[in-house]
Each structure stands twice: as structure tokens, then as C-alpha cells.
Amino acid sequence: MKMETLEPKTDMAEMNPSKVVSEAEWLVARKDVLTREKELTRLRDEVSRHRREMPWVRVNKRYIFDGPDGKETLADLFAGRSQLVVYHFMLGPGWGEGCKSCSYLADHFDGANWHLPHRDVTFVVISRAPLSEIEAYKKRMGWRFKWLSSYGNDFNFDYHVSATEEEKKKGKMFYNYRTDELDR
């Protein structure tokens, strides 16, 4: 039996384009990046403060969701807490499986959700698919977080996270507080 040496197919310089420097030069570069990271943290803290200070909007429309505990209103979803975080998971009627990016993020929801109730926050996930389709996908993925269906109500459309039939026909949707072309 002949043993062959496997040669790398890629030059290491192509994989790592960074230059090699002395420890002293590296330290100067690292301190510069650290200064920028601290600036970013301060800016993120300031933006978070502004987000917390935003005014509220009264929700007058009655939304009914199908969930594991039966029919629930938007007010019910707070579960006695003062804050509600809703993740709009892209899973529409008949899709069979959810958005790949949403699914990746959802893999992390259960762990984070242990901490939120201690901060007076309830976390729920909402999709347009019927509850039976949501439950099947949730079971397949092994998730435990609370996931509800807005199938049959306008919640996702009213909050501009799903395109209406009219928007689809026009090829434009109001999303992220502006009107954009829909991908076709």
C-alpha cells in the first residue's frame, strides 16, 4: 500500500491575508481595535437608552392567536409581565419548513428564554402558518419556546412583517419603515 502525503490545496497566505508583525506592533493594533470596540459599546448603550425611551402606541385591534394553550389575545401573551417580545418567524401556510435564518436563530431561543421572565419579559414566537404546521415543525426541530399562529388574523400584515396580496401584486411592501421592492 502506497502512502501519499496530502499537500494543502490552498496557499496559507490566501486563507489568512493578515500580515505577520512583531508583538509590539500587534499590541498597538489591538489597543486601537479595543478603543473602537469601547466606542461601539457606548454607542450601543446610547441607542438602547433611546429605544427604552420611545413612546408607546395603544393597540386597539383585538388579535386572537392559536397556541398550545388554546386561543389567546395579544394581551394574554404578556402572561402577567410588563413586557412582551414577539419574534416574527417566517413560516407561512403550507411551507413545510421555516426560514433557514429564523430556524438558526430559534435554535438559541430556549436558552435565552430562561432569563427573560426574571427581567419581567415574556417571549413568544408568531407565524402565519396554522398551528398544526407550526407544532409539527417545532417538534421536528426539538424546540420548547411558546409559538403561536396568527393564521386567520391580520397581525403580521398590520405590523408589516408579511406582504399582503395587494402588496405582492404591486411588487412593493412597506417593511422596516419604508416601501421596498419585493424579491420576485
Side-chain angles (χ1 to χ4, degrees):
M1 177 156 87
K2 181 180 174 185
M3 298 292 287
E4 293 184 31
T5 305
L6 295 176
E7 296 294 325
K9 295 183 182 193
T10 306
D11 182 7
M12 292 304 287
E14 291 176 26
M15 290 176 52
N16 186 1
S18 299
K19 62 183 178 179
V20 177
V21 297
S22 69
E23 188 174 335
E25 288 175 286
W26 178 87
L27 188 56
V28 169
R30 178 63 188 110
K31 285 181 177 180
D32 177 60
V33 170
L34 181 60
T35 298
R36 293 170 192 266
E37 289 171 340
K38 287 183 177 185
E39 288 171 9
L40 178 61
T41 298
R42 282 190 284 280
L43 182 58
R44 185 183 311 114
D45 289 346
E46 183 181 344
V47 170
S48 294
R49 180 180 57 79
H50 286 291
R51 186 182 308 110
R52 287 189 303 271
E53 293 171 351
M54 284 187 63
W56 293 7
V57 174
R58 181 176 300 280
V59 177
N60 292 315
K61 193 169 188 178
R62 185 168 165 86
Y63 296 103
I64 305 292
F65 302 93
D66 289 322
D69 301 322
K71 304 276 186 198
E72 295 187 64
T73 66
L74 183 59
D76 293 333
L77 301 185
F78 281 79
R81 296 189 182 93
S82 69
Q83 301 171 80
L84 175 67
V85 173
V86 173
Y87 183 83
H88 296 275
F89 191 111
M90 290 187 285
L91 177 63
W95 285 17
E97 64 180 31
C99 158
K100 290 180 184 354
S101 295
C102 292
S103 296
Y104 171 78
L105 290 173
D107 282 339
H108 304 84
F109 292 167
D110 286 326
N113 204 18
W114 283 103
H115 303 278
L116 295 174
H118 301 290
R119 303 290 188 273
D120 197 29
V121 176
T122 298
F123 174 80
V124 298
V125 176
I126 296 177
S127 294
R128 288 185 41 247
L131 185 61
S132 61
E133 294 175 23
I134 289 171
E135 295 279 331
Y137 189 60
K138 180 180 174 184
K139 182 178 180 182
R140 176 180 140 200
M141 300 303 287
W143 297 325
R144 297 182 312 270
F145 54 82
K146 187 170 184 173
W147 195 349
L148 301 111
S149 171
S150 61
Y151 185 76
N153 75 43
D154 295 327
F155 183 76
N156 297 75
F157 304 114
D158 291 349
Y159 286 91
H160 307 287
V161 295
S162 295
T164 64
E165 290 304 318
E166 183 178 322
E167 288 171 323
K168 289 177 188 176
K169 287 177 188 171
K170 289 181 181 176
K172 293 182 180 186
M173 177 184 175
F174 185 74
Y175 180 75
N176 266 349
Y177 314 105
R178 66 178 189 257
T179 301
D180 283 332
E181 300 286 326
L182 289 172
D183 292 335
R184 296 210 176 219

